[in-house]
Amino acid sequence: MASRPDTDDYLSLFLSDTPLMDVRAPVEFARGSFPGAENAPLMNDEERHRVGICYKEKGQEEAIRLGHQLVSGDIKAQRIEAWKRFIARHPEGYLFCFRGGLRSRLTQQWIREAGIDYPLVKGGYKALRRFLIDSLDRLIESGDFRIISGRTGTGKTRVLQQLPNPVDLEGLANHRGSSFGRQVTPQPSQIDFENRLAVAMLKAHHLKEGPVYLEDESRLVGRCAMPDALKQQIAHAPLLIVEQTLEERTRIIREDYVEKMLADYTRRDGEAAGWLNFRDYLLGALDRISKRLGGERHRQLRSSMSQALEQQERSGDIHGHNAWIQSLLLDYYDPMYDYQLSQKQGSILVRGGPAVVAEWARNNTPA
């Protein structure tokens, strides 16, 4: 393998989805890393903890000596093999630690002793993270945004994905942005969400032209918080409003939150456990908004949902869900959306069905 230089071209790393080998400890990786990064630690959590205590009590030299004692013999050989496997899969990648210092250099040295030259990211995680934070702040401040809005169930995310330059906030947060929006896979950490958002914004700015299209979201997408500056931009940006009939909205909700979620739970947990977990998901989502619904309305909706679930389990018929879906849309989500729309300060550029909105966006975006 030809030797490649270490890099501080952070923009190119993110725009090209360059594979990154994160040699920090698993606990550090879990707090946040970067899209496409894989954890191949120099030290595990316990080893890192012991070295950290030694550093505080006895200084760097003793800490380094302890680290070499802890990661030696078979353990060292196993770590090197893990790095070699990553490099074999990603010869174009780079490695990084927290600051691009001792751990990166040591990893690089051990890999070199195994016969492979592999470059590192200068400044490590800290520099990469700072680059993304600063880039995101700048891109939000200077960005030209257009917002896809519309009542619940109009299929805004589906429309967004057809547009010229979309950034899918719900996709980045792995959440559909409502009480029912939880997915079967977990959401990213807040840091991971911010890093994903920054990379998506960089790509929207550098790899495409024209305004960035976002879906209208509240500050929290599940547990992931949008930057306040972006929320302000969303509140003031021009709107494209998607409209659908109640019947079509009911079908979309049923497809996304009943059919798809049951399939996802069944795929993950098997048929029996998947059904039970799906049932708990649906009832739990309704229970989470019980205070806002009020006691009597929540009781009626829960009864309707339970009957629909019993019918679905018994016969496979999913149309029993229409009753609670339509009631929830008309009596809860629609009034809330109408109020929120009245508070928007951005102009309405177009309103209509998905095809009308998508065609307008394509015709009014630079080629």
Side-chain angles (χ1 to χ4, degrees):
M1 180 186 297
S3 178
R4 292 182 293 129
D6 299 337
T7 188
D8 57 4
D9 187 354
Y10 311 131
L11 178 61
S12 292
L13 292 176
F14 291 122
L15 291 183
S16 61
D17 295 321
T18 302
L20 298 172
M21 186 171 77
D22 187 341
V23 303
R24 297 177 303 154
V27 66
E28 297 172 282
F29 182 81
R31 291 193 197 108
S33 194
F34 306 106
E38 294 183 26
N39 192 209
L42 172 66
M43 293 184 291
N44 64 27
D45 294 338
E46 175 62 24
E47 291 158 357
R48 173 179 172 269
H49 178 67
R50 290 177 62 183
V51 169
I53 292 174
C54 182
Y55 179 84
K56 290 178 181 178
E57 294 178 349
K58 299 180 180 179
Q60 185 182 56
E61 188 175 335
E62 286 299 316
I64 293 173
R65 184 177 293 111
L66 176 60
H68 279 281
Q69 291 173 0
L70 294 173
V71 185
S72 61
D74 290 342
I75 294 175
K76 178 180 176 180
Q78 290 167 8
R79 306 278 160 86
I80 294 172
E81 284 302 311
W83 300 332
K84 288 168 66 176
R85 286 193 296 271
F86 179 92
I87 294 167
R89 287 186 290 115
H90 304 295
E92 76 280 21
Y94 292 82
L95 68 89
F96 69 91
C97 66
F98 184 65
R99 291 189 180 88
L102 186 59
R103 283 186 286 179
S104 286
R105 299 292 178 187
L106 186 57
T107 301
Q108 199 175 46
Q109 176 189 329
W110 287 356
I111 293 172
R112 188 174 294 117
E113 290 171 356
I116 302 170
D117 281 321
Y118 204 64
L120 59 80
V121 178
K122 297 177 183 178
Y125 170 86
K126 190 173 183 180
L128 289 165
R129 170 76 171 150
R130 173 45 57 191
F131 171 78
L132 290 182
I133 291 172
D134 292 344
S135 297
L136 183 58
D137 288 345
R138 184 178 66 256
L139 292 170
I140 291 173
E141 182 179 356
S142 63
D144 178 13
F145 298 105
R146 292 176 181 171
I147 308 305
I148 306 303
S149 187
R151 289 178 167 176
T152 300
T154 51
K156 296 184 291 295
T157 302
R158 301 178 187 192
V159 174
L160 178 73
Q161 292 166 350
Q162 301 175 41
L163 302 187
N165 195 6
V167 170
D168 183 1
L169 296 169
E170 292 184 357
L172 297 172
N174 195 35
H175 196 282
R176 292 196 185 97
S178 72
S179 174
F180 291 82
R182 188 180 72 196
Q183 305 280 19
V184 298
T185 50
Q187 286 195 262
S189 70
Q190 178 64 27
I191 290 174
D192 277 335
F193 171 68
E194 292 169 2
N195 289 343
R196 291 180 184 185
L197 176 59
V199 172
M201 287 289 191
L202 283 168
K203 290 180 177 180
H205 178 75
H206 288 278
L207 302 182
K208 299 182 181 180
E209 291 185 357
V212 175
Y213 289 88
L214 301 169
E215 189 173 339
D216 195 3
E217 300 288 352
S218 60
R219 189 181 71 86
L220 290 175
V221 187
R223 68 169 185 229
C224 294
M226 274 196 294
D228 290 338
L230 182 57
K231 183 57 187 169
Q232 287 299 313
Q233 287 277 30
I234 288 175
H236 292 84
L239 301 168
L240 292 77
I241 298 180
V242 183
E243 297 178 329
Q244 297 265 34
T245 65
L246 178 62
E247 289 72 22
E248 183 63 14
R249 293 166 62 203
T250 302
R251 184 194 66 79
I252 289 172
I253 292 292
R254 195 179 64 231
E255 185 177 286
D256 286 349
Y257 297 98
V258 177
E259 295 177 79
K260 183 179 184 302
M261 289 302 292
L262 176 57
D264 287 347
Y265 275 108
T266 301
R267 190 178 304 111
R268 189 191 71 177
D269 303 326
E271 190 169 343
W275 169 260
L276 293 174
N277 289 331
F278 160 71
R279 185 179 186 279
D280 288 347
Y281 147 77
L282 212 55
L283 291 168
L286 186 66
D287 291 345
R288 278 192 291 277
I289 56 173
S290 60
K291 290 183 179 179
R292 282 177 278 172
L293 290 169
E296 180 59 22
R297 184 163 56 173
H298 172 254
R299 185 192 65 76
Q300 292 173 355
L301 285 168
R302 204 177 200 281
S303 175
S304 177
M305 182 183 285
S306 296
Q307 291 174 19
L309 285 163
E310 290 171 8
Q311 178 179 326
Q312 182 181 3
E313 184 178 23
R314 184 172 59 252
S315 67
D317 183 2
I318 61 174
H319 291 87
H321 290 282
N322 292 1
W324 68 262
I325 291 173
Q326 292 186 359
S327 178
L328 198 60
L329 289 175
L330 292 172
D331 299 332
Y332 178 70
Y333 281 111
D334 285 0
M336 183 166 56
Y337 171 76
D338 291 343
Y339 171 76
Q340 292 170 347
L341 181 61
S342 72
Q343 303 301 301
K344 295 288 186 183
Q345 300 181 41
S347 60
I348 297 175
L349 300 175
V350 63
R351 61 193 313 160
V356 170
V357 171
E359 183 179 7
W360 188 96
R362 286 192 290 268
N363 291 337
N364 289 272
T365 299

